[in-house]
Amino acid sequence: MRAFVATVMVGMMGVGLPAQQAGTPTQAPAVQGAPQQNGQPQQSGQPQQGAPGTFTMRVNSDIVLTNVVVRDKKTGEVVKGLKAADFQIFENNKLQKIATFDYQNVDEAAVLAEKNTVAGKASIADLLDHNLAADAQQLRDHRLIVMFFDITSMQDEDTDRAVQAAQDYVNKQMQPADLVALVSLNTGLSMDQDFTSDKTQLLKILARYNGTDGSGFAAGGNGSTDGTGDDTNAFAADDSEFTSLNTDRELLAIRTIAKSLEKVDEKKSMLFFSGGLARNGIENQASLRSATNEAAHANMAIYSVDTRGLQALPPAGDASKGSTRGNSVYSGAAATAQIASNYSSQETLGTLSADTGGKAFFDSNDFAPAFQQVQHDTEAYYILGFHSTNTAHDGTFRHLTVKTARTDVKLEFRPGYYAPADFQHQKTEDRELALTEQMRSDLPATDVAMYMQALYFRRSDNQFYVPVSLVVPGSQIPFVKGGDREKATLDILGQVKKVLGDAPGDSAGNASGPKLGNISVGNVRDTVKLAVDETQQVKQKNIQYSTGFNLAPGRYHLKFVVRENQTGAMGSFETDLNVPDLKKAPIKLSSVVLSSQRVPNTSKSNRGDINPLVRDGQEWVPNVAHVFRQDQHLYMMYEVYDPAKPKAAPTPAASPGLERRVGGPVRVLTSIEFLSGGTKVYETPLVEADSLNVPEREAVSFQFDVPLTQLKPGTYVCQVNVIDDAGGSFSFPRTAVRVQAAAPAATPAPAVPATPAPTGTPTGN
């Protein structure tokens, strides 16, 4: 399902927050976990208002680590015994002060008091997470090697070669100082074996990787038949978008592995076995930069191994495909295209290795040198750390140079790193990545307070329209001067997932708690541009965004992320929604909409049969917080579906004050009442419907207009009474409503005419 309609309601609305006097700060609506008040972040070390004794503390520790291997120029042997004073480190040719210094030497490796990493027992991974009482110093002077098998990119024979090389390393080359972890990417990223020196266990896991599963994906096409195999398929698919997404998936896997190893300062080495990683231009640039930067932060070097080995690229193709289409074989275009494609798939691997201080191994059927290179580069090394004198968070690549006064040695180190980037310096693709990561994150963003409401209206037996409203207090949004108006933009990302099952132990049968097998059924991505003349009034009001989804009956989990694009602050909100299956319900009732505002909407795409919130050329703006002022009207709307038809014509009503309409096919009675402290303080006249006024949905639609001047300020229970007289069924949904005093008038108001009586009539489109 896709987002159906998106509209923006800005500014002068009494939705969620009452009007305030000019200059009075507006309190944000209650949002769980909101760390701000009045749109301003709390200062470090200052207690938050309303939370005595609690403090917000922010710590920034930007230390840059780099490994340096020092070798004798003549013999290639590692030079040991150097001190911090023997090194100078430069960032963009500016000398930096060395803050930390360490030396690692695998010759001093001791046998770890490690338990075998079988199910239910402790492992080195537990040690990295500080879950064991063992001393973390045990990891010193050991090689930490991650073998990452990208099964999705390797063909069957490639997988077999990679596994055979890994088995040979374990049997013949693995040293006591080596701790190896096995990770694979197939249908998902899997940690198959934690760090261990147990050769038997490693060989057991490696045996699971084989070329019989057929998991590797063939290289995607670009939509052109020229140069492709001349088989029975006359159509060549354009797989460019899929290739981009698959590359992002692989780069995200590398980033995830690196992030999980950040806690340990020792150098980590990743042997990345891949059948090529094609980057589709700028689309994958953010993911590549993010993976490289995370590897640098984790002090992890990537050694890329192209498992395709040495390849022959005949212009007319090989025996694995049909004869080449077109005349590209005779013009040299086919050979050029194959070479370019092969280079493109290796270029990304080479970039990952070069930018992290590793090495790439291409065009060779012997993978043993890759293992030897890892051992060679990590037999002894120095770890230098410094705090950069360039405090700008501009996201640029900063070149590193390490020097020593000794002329008889050569130094090996990574060429640089990406500086952290604040929001103003982030590129468009990085901003999109940050928004997507927040959507995936289980930790909610709370820098922007927000609230969300989801309703439902039936469109057919198996389809409901679900309008979703987001409310952000205007005080949360910083406006900037743009010409004669003040402007701001909001990025909105939303997702609806169908809940297929609950985690074990959730015996309540509700939609809370971890979910199993949830699938996405709807998405929204929008940028809202705001331009106002007077921000002071907007900051005292709310900004409301509306969208909608077409969903089948079931349980859903909704999550929306909002980011204001001046400082990059984000907020998120999650809720569960149960769209009922009304087939067996005694009375089929939609959600009850409470509103204080109706705006003109004559768009054909928003007519009432598509969006039930549009009635007679007006769109109802839901009041999400259910807070109203005495000088406002409470508009209520709801629908009753498939009401029963009476078996015989009804008799005139005997109840006083009830207007009867005799002879109709249905008979639905309804009224609205307000309760305070369990006592009814007000009720509208009873209204009867005797026909379907929304025939396209087999529904009776009711609308009420209730002036609130006769209700005192306070909290009320608003009860909707719905009776299907012919069917003998009824429903009494309730909701809380807050009525506040009217806004004080700036000047004496003219005489106000008598308040009309509350009305409530069933109306159609």
Side-chain angles (χ1 to χ4, degrees):
M1 299 294 180
R2 295 165 52 189
F4 197 78
V5 60
T7 58
V8 181
M9 310 301 173
V10 184
M12 308 303 114
M13 303 188 301
V15 182
L17 294 178
Q20 306 259 343
Q21 297 184 16
T24 302
T26 302
Q27 293 296 325
V31 178
Q32 292 184 356
Q36 298 183 1
Q37 285 190 323
N38 306 329
Q40 299 298 327
Q42 296 287 340
Q43 298 296 322
S44 298
Q46 297 296 324
Q48 298 182 16
Q49 297 180 15
T54 60
F55 293 83
T56 299
M57 183 175 181
R58 294 181 174 88
V59 178
N60 293 323
S61 178
D62 296 331
I63 189 167
V64 182
L65 298 178
T66 186
N67 304 310
V68 181
V69 179
V70 184
R71 299 186 184 279
D72 187 277
K73 285 185 177 180
K74 296 181 179 179
T75 64
E77 295 294 327
V78 175
V79 177
K80 305 176 182 179
L82 299 180
K83 307 297 181 183
D86 296 323
F87 294 94
Q88 287 183 318
I89 187 166
F90 297 82
E91 180 186 273
N92 289 342
N93 296 323
K94 292 184 179 180
L95 181 64
Q96 307 293 318
K97 181 180 179 180
I98 298 177
T100 63
F101 180 82
D102 194 13
Y103 175 67
Q104 301 278 323
N105 183 9
V106 299
D107 292 339
E108 300 176 3
V111 178
L112 292 181
E114 180 193 7
K115 302 176 183 178
N116 290 337
T117 54
V118 296
K121 293 188 177 181
S123 67
I124 290 296
D126 296 318
L127 179 60
L128 301 184
D129 290 333
H130 306 291
N131 292 332
L132 291 182
D135 186 1
Q137 291 297 318
Q138 289 186 6
L139 294 178
R140 284 186 56 85
D141 303 322
H142 284 80
R143 295 190 187 96
L144 301 181
I145 303 173
V146 179
M147 294 188 191
F148 178 30
F149 294 84
D150 182 9
I151 307 296
T152 62
S153 68
M154 294 190 289
Q155 300 303 310
D156 297 346
E157 60 275 13
D158 300 342
T159 306
D160 290 338
R161 280 197 298 269
V163 170
Q164 182 61 49
Q167 291 172 336
D168 289 343
Y169 159 75
V170 173
N171 287 321
K172 303 175 183 178
Q173 296 177 254
M174 187 171 175
Q175 302 296 321
D178 296 351
L179 298 177
V180 181
L182 300 178
V183 185
S184 63
L185 178 65
N186 199 338
T187 55
L189 182 63
S190 174
M191 166 61 81
D192 300 311
Q193 177 60 52
D194 293 335
F195 285 106
T196 184
S197 57
D198 187 343
K199 295 185 178 182
T200 302
Q201 184 69 12
L202 290 171
L203 292 173
K204 178 181 177 181
I205 302 300
L206 285 171
R208 298 179 186 175
Y209 307 143
N210 56 72
T212 61
D213 295 336
S215 301
F217 296 125
N222 58 7
S224 173
T225 60
D226 193 23
T228 61
D230 189 9
D231 50 22
T232 57
N233 296 323
F235 171 75
D238 186 355
D239 298 322
S240 301
E241 184 175 357
F242 170 79
T243 302
S244 296
L245 293 174
N246 194 52
T247 300
D248 279 345
R249 180 171 176 261
E250 295 167 88
L251 292 171
L252 177 62
I254 294 175
R255 181 184 178 191
T256 302
I257 296 170
K259 194 169 184 63
S260 68
L261 299 174
E262 281 184 343
K263 294 182 180 180
V264 181
D265 290 340
E266 281 78 13
K267 180 179 179 180
K268 280 77 65 176
S269 303
M270 172 186 285
L271 277 162
F272 180 30
F273 295 96
S274 172
L277 194 61
R279 182 163 59 95
N280 190 15
I282 194 65
E283 287 84 353
N284 301 122
Q285 184 62 36
S287 299
L288 176 61
R289 185 165 55 246
S290 179
T292 301
N293 200 29
E294 196 62 57
H297 286 166
N299 203 12
M300 183 178 77
I302 300 176
Y303 295 79
S304 302
V305 180
D306 186 354
T307 57
R308 293 171 296 184
L310 184 61
Q311 301 178 78
L313 302 174
D318 53 29
S320 64
K321 60 182 180 180
S323 300
T324 305
R325 289 187 177 101
N327 60 5
S328 59
V329 172
Y330 311 103
S331 65
T336 302
Q338 289 190 68
I339 295 173
S341 176
N342 186 66
Y343 172 78
S344 175
S345 65
Q346 292 180 340
E347 185 268 340
T348 307
L349 299 177
T351 300
L352 285 170
S353 296
D355 289 350
T356 59
K359 293 179 176 59
F361 296 86
F362 301 146
D363 303 327
S364 175
N365 295 328
D366 182 10
F367 303 152
F371 298 94
Q372 296 169 359
Q373 188 68 51
V374 170
Q375 291 180 322
H376 181 65
D377 290 349
T378 54
E379 57 182 324
Y381 56 92
Y382 300 88
I383 303 177
L384 307 182
F386 67 93
H387 296 283
S388 175
T389 56
N390 185 355
T391 58
H393 289 186
D394 52 10
T396 58
F397 187 81
R398 299 179 181 178
H399 295 273
L400 293 180
T401 304
V402 182
K403 297 181 179 180
T404 181
R406 295 184 55 169
T407 59
D408 59 335
V409 299
K410 60 179 180 179
L411 307 181
E412 300 173 3
F413 50 89
R414 60 186 170 95
Y417 72 101
Y418 286 101
D422 56 23
F423 184 75
Q424 295 299 328
H425 291 92
Q426 284 183 354
K427 298 182 180 179
T428 301
E429 57 270 21
D430 291 322
R431 293 187 178 190
E432 287 299 313
L433 184 62
L435 205 62
T436 303
E437 287 180 346
Q438 180 55 48
M439 173 62 70
R440 296 171 178 168
S441 175
D442 293 331
L443 182 65
T446 56
D447 290 334
V448 175
M450 59 180 291
Y451 192 75
M452 178 174 67
Q453 181 188 59
L455 308 171
Y456 58 85
F457 290 86
R458 195 187 75 174
R459 296 187 62 189
S460 63
D461 286 343
N462 294 313
Q463 189 180 70
F464 285 75
Y465 179 75
V466 177
V468 177
S469 298
L470 303 178
V471 171
V472 178
S475 60
Q476 300 281 295
I477 302 173
F479 286 80
V480 295
K481 194 70 175 179
D484 58 346
R485 311 192 77 186
E486 296 190 73
K487 301 179 180 180
T489 60
L490 299 177
D491 281 331
I492 298 175
L493 182 64
Q495 187 176 62
V496 180
K497 288 187 176 182
K498 185 173 179 60
V499 179
L500 301 181
D502 293 322
D506 186 3
S507 59
N510 53 35
S512 62
K515 309 298 186 300
L516 301 177
N518 297 355
I519 58 174
S520 177
V521 295
N523 296 278
V524 169
R525 174 65 180 92
D526 204 355
T527 298
V528 179
K529 297 181 179 180
L530 309 174
V532 297
D533 296 321
E534 180 55 56
T535 59
Q536 183 60 38
Q537 295 186 28
V538 174
K539 290 181 179 180
Q540 297 171 1
K541 303 293 182 178
N542 287 345
I543 294 172
Q544 183 161 336
Y545 173 88
S546 299
T547 186
F549 303 89
N550 291 320
L551 302 175
R555 289 161 43 197
Y556 298 90
H557 184 77
L558 286 71
K559 181 174 182 179
F560 275 74
V561 177
V562 173
R563 179 179 63 202
E564 57 87 5
N565 287 329
Q566 180 61 26
T567 65
M570 288 191 285
S572 63
F573 195 94
E574 298 182 60
T575 188
D576 291 320
L577 173 68
N578 182 29
V579 179
D581 187 353
L582 298 179
K583 293 180 180 179
K584 298 181 180 180
I587 185 166
K588 302 176 178 62
L589 186 66
S590 72
S591 296
V592 179
V593 179
L594 279 70
S595 175
S596 58
Q597 183 181 18
R598 294 179 295 188
V599 297
N601 191 333
T602 57
S603 173
K604 293 183 179 180
S605 62
N606 274 333
R607 63 183 189 269
D609 59 334
I610 297 177
N611 183 359
L613 296 183
V614 177
R615 290 285 187 275
D616 302 323
Q618 289 188 318
E619 181 171 357
W620 293 55
V621 181
N623 186 315
V624 176
H626 295 180
V627 177
F628 301 84
R629 298 192 311 269
Q630 283 183 302
D631 57 351
Q632 291 180 322
H633 286 235
L634 170 58
Y635 304 112
M636 300 185 67
M637 179 180 65
Y638 48 92
E639 295 179 348
V640 179
Y641 307 104
D642 301 332
K645 298 180 180 180
K647 298 180 180 179
T651 58
S655 302
L658 174 60
E659 179 186 354
R660 295 297 308 275
R661 301 171 184 171
V662 183
V666 300
R667 187 165 184 261
V668 181
L669 312 175
T670 188
S671 67
I672 309 294
E673 63 183 53
F674 294 84
L675 308 173
S676 178
T679 303
K680 181 168 63 177
V681 297
Y682 180 78
E683 184 177 9
T684 66
L686 192 62
V687 176
E688 177 185 352
D690 58 9
S691 62
L692 301 177
N693 53 15
V694 191
E696 63 270 17
R697 293 200 297 275
E698 297 291 326
V700 178
S701 176
F702 291 96
Q703 298 181 34
F704 281 81
D705 180 353
V706 182
L708 298 175
T709 54
Q710 49 209 321
L711 292 179
K712 297 179 180 180
T715 301
Y716 298 88
V717 174
C718 179
Q719 176 173 299
V720 179
N721 304 316
V722 182
I723 302 175
D724 185 352
D725 191 49
S729 56
F730 50 83
S731 180
F732 307 104
R734 290 183 169 188
T735 187
V737 172
R738 176 73 177 175
V739 178
Q740 295 188 343
T747 58
V752 180
T755 303
T759 60
T761 57
T763 60
N765 295 326

